[in-house]
Each structure stands twice: as structure tokens, then as C-alpha cells.
Amino acid sequence: MATESVYSATYTTESLQSSVSGIRRLYIKAASLDRFGMGMLRLGLVIVLVWIGGLKFASYEADGIVPLVANSPFMSFLYHHPAPEYRQHMNKEGQVVPANQQWNESNGTYPVSYGLGVIIVSLGIMIALYPIWPQVSAVGSFLLILMALTTLSFLVTTPEAWVPGLGDPHHGFPYLSGAGRLVVKDCIMLGAAIVTMADAAKAYLRRSACSQRRSM
């Protein structure tokens, strides 16, 4: 009986050690994915920026950002009509109301959206240049940080970012509307931009150091 108990204890110990060893190997493999993960993070930023920036040339997207821009102390000067006049002229996504489109044209809605689209797509392209010019990629990520901070400020300035009080007790802070949920995702964009900026800056410094050593 004593021999069986010793054998059982030994087997249990060996099993536990084997399990711990297996878990450790999984963590080691996970840790080895850091460079792949960085590449996927950068690729994700590029896809989102180019895609969303491209959509800024569509009228429905231009109409949709009007409340965000019109209420922003940093951007409202871009429009010709003050907030909240836009509320009477908002089109639903996919809806065509000629009178509302005319108002948006007089408001400067579409040129502003086109300009934002060019900026956002340009940031995506700058970040995508990491393999060739990491210094340019770092600048693109830095500018994206500024853009993300501006976008997050919409949570404070845009009434439409929160569920309106129309009878449901769940309204106002912290109940984000569809627009608010879209904006708050820029918290992730902000973190990703900081990480990719640091990584691109490190790559640029490494290349500069190598170039200096070769020239000596």
C-alpha cells in the first residue's frame, strides 16, 4: 500500500509538472508572436484609415459626421451654418432628400468631408510606408494620435453621442448612442497609434545607427 501511495504521488507530481511545462510552452509561443502582432496592428490601422477615409467621399458618410463637426469647438468653423440647425436637415443612411442635400451643400458639408477623407487616407498611407520609411510611418502614427484625441473630444461636445431622453430611463451619460459607440472605439485607435509610432521610431533609429556605423 505504501509503495502504491508513493507511486501515485510521484505520478501526480509528474503530471502536474508536465501540465505546467505544456502551459509554459504555450506562453512562449504566444510571446513569440509579438512582431507578427505588431504587423497585424499596423495593417489593421491602414485598412481602417483607408477604408473610412474613402467613405468620406460618400454623401451619407458626409451627412453622418455633421453633428460631430458642427458641435466641436475645434472644427465647427469649417461649416457655414451653426449648430443645432443641422437637426432639421439630417438624412438617414441610404435616404435621399434633395432639400436636405441642398442644405448640406450650402453648409459646406461635402467639401469638409472630402478634405477629411484625404487626410485620413494619407495617414493610412504614411503608416503603411513603415517597411520603406519608418520615420514617415512614425509621423503618420503621431498625427493619428492627434486625430484620435480630437475624435474622442466629440464625446464631450456632441449631444447625439448619448441616448436622448425620450422616455426610456436609460439616457444621457453613460448610455452611448450609435454615434457615441462609434466614437469611443477611438480609444483603441489611440493606443494602437502610440504603439505603432514607438515601433516605427525604434526602427528608424536602428537603421540610422547602422548607417552611421557603415559610414565610419
Side-chain angles (χ1 to χ4, degrees):
M1 292 292 292
T3 303
E4 290 180 0
S5 298
V6 171
Y7 175 79
S8 178
T10 302
Y11 177 77
T12 301
T13 301
E14 289 177 351
S15 271
L16 182 59
Q17 289 175 342
S18 177
S19 297
V20 170
S21 178
I23 293 172
R24 181 176 175 78
R25 283 196 296 272
L26 289 176
Y27 275 100
I28 292 172
K29 288 182 179 179
S32 68
L33 293 174
D34 55 341
R35 293 311 306 168
F36 175 76
M38 179 62 69
M40 290 301 297
L41 181 65
R42 185 174 289 107
L43 177 61
L45 281 180
V46 172
I47 291 173
V48 169
L49 290 170
V50 173
W51 197 335
I52 295 300
L55 289 178
K56 290 291 185 289
F57 293 88
S59 58
Y60 84 92
E61 176 71 11
D63 295 346
I65 65 172
V66 169
L68 305 176
V69 176
N71 288 288
S72 171
F74 309 110
M75 302 180 67
S76 60
F77 70 91
L78 297 172
Y79 287 159
H80 301 150
H81 301 303
E85 186 178 330
Y86 63 83
R87 291 179 182 172
Q88 306 170 31
H89 306 281
M90 291 296 295
N91 290 323
K92 295 180 180 179
E93 291 186 358
Q95 183 183 40
V96 177
V97 180
N100 291 344
Q101 288 185 330
Q102 290 176 5
W103 182 89
N104 278 299
E105 288 175 359
S106 68
N107 185 47
T109 296
Y110 302 119
V112 169
S113 185
Y114 301 157
L116 290 174
V118 170
I119 292 171
I120 294 170
V121 170
S122 297
L123 293 182
I125 294 173
M126 290 175 70
I127 293 172
L129 291 174
Y130 171 82
I132 306 172
W133 294 310
Q135 64 272 36
V136 175
S137 183
V139 173
S141 291
F142 172 73
L143 295 175
L144 179 56
I145 291 171
L146 299 182
M147 190 186 81
L149 290 172
T150 301
T151 302
L152 288 171
S153 73
F154 295 157
L155 290 175
V156 179
T157 61
T158 309
E160 285 82 358
W162 309 98
V163 175
L166 302 177
D168 193 303
H170 302 108
H171 65 272
F173 181 85
Y175 303 106
L176 291 164
S177 66
R181 293 193 294 273
L182 181 65
V183 170
V184 80
K185 291 178 182 176
D186 268 41
C187 289
I188 302 173
M189 185 82 74
L190 176 61
I194 293 172
V195 172
T196 54
M197 179 185 68
D199 184 65
K202 288 178 181 177
Y204 169 65
L205 293 173
R206 285 195 301 268
R207 290 189 184 183
S208 297
C210 289
S211 297
Q212 289 177 357
R213 284 196 295 269
R214 284 196 296 265
S215 62
M216 291 176 64

